[in-house]
Amino acid sequence: MTDSQASLLTVLALAVVHIFAGTTAALHLRWQPRALSAGAGIAVAYVFLELMPALAERQDLVDARGGLLGGDGLARLPAPPPRGG
């Protein structure tokens, strides 16, 4: 699967969720805590599996720029390396 196909599937999935979000009013109270818990778990997993290793790879750049919060107090991350191909 190419990147553009994966992006298209993601957009379509979000569109379907958006379209049917209003039709789940009866299930809203029953499933909301589970959905919030699942979303929080996915967010935490993303941070540890994707963002932390990327920051660790470019730690020298982060240190050279004065940390994530530079001298002006704005959070900046180093740009990812260009993809080959």
Side-chain angles (χ1 to χ4, degrees):
M1 179 179 290
T2 65
D3 286 341
S4 54
Q5 289 173 334
S7 296
L8 178 64
L9 278 175
T10 302
V11 168
L12 290 175
L14 289 173
V16 168
V17 168
H18 180 73
I19 290 169
F20 290 108
T23 63
T24 60
L27 298 174
H28 183 68
L29 295 175
R30 180 176 174 192
W31 294 102
Q32 185 180 17
R34 292 180 185 167
L36 288 175
S37 178
I42 291 169
V44 169
Y46 175 75
V47 166
F48 285 106
L49 294 177
E50 294 290 331
L51 295 181
M52 296 299 274
L55 283 175
E57 289 175 5
R58 296 190 245 5
Q59 186 64 42
D60 56 338
L61 293 173
V62 173
D63 291 338
R65 294 180 180 178
L68 292 179
L69 296 176
D72 56 3
L74 299 176
R76 292 190 177 88
L77 297 176
R83 289 187 180 187

